[in-house]
Amino acid sequence: MDTRTRLSWLIFGMTNAVLFGMGLVPVLTIKPWSEHAAILIPLVVLASFVLAFPIAWWLVPWMRARYERRRSLMQ
């Protein structure tokens, strides 16, 4: 398993939590949506779980580049 995949799995949990929170807040605060919360909350869970890994995969090179820049400045 390459480094990008390993780091993506590490970031996956945090990304999943952020996406879930971003999806849950509107479902619970918008009155017409909160009436259908029994259907929408499982959809938010599923969507956050599905989208978390591709977003984490996209974030890893950006984070690694930032780390490499900082490390090269210290040497």
Side-chain angles (χ1 to χ4, degrees):
M1 192 178 313
D2 66 334
T3 305
R4 185 175 185 180
T5 305
R6 289 180 185 190
L7 290 173
S8 295
W9 281 114
L10 286 173
I11 298 171
F12 170 79
M14 293 176 276
T15 308
N16 188 21
V18 169
L19 290 174
F20 175 72
M22 287 174 55
L24 191 62
V25 168
V27 168
L28 295 177
T29 57
I30 299 173
K31 185 70 173 167
W33 291 3
S34 64
E35 295 170 357
H36 301 288
I39 296 168
L40 292 176
I41 291 175
L43 289 176
V44 168
V45 170
L46 181 64
S48 68
F49 194 77
V50 168
L51 293 174
F53 191 79
I55 291 172
W57 182 264
W58 175 76
L59 284 173
V60 166
W62 179 72
M63 293 175 67
R64 289 183 71 191
R66 185 175 175 193
Y67 171 75
E68 290 298 326
R69 276 194 309 268
R70 186 180 304 155
R71 196 172 83 171
S72 67
L73 291 174
M74 293 178 139
Q75 292 178 352

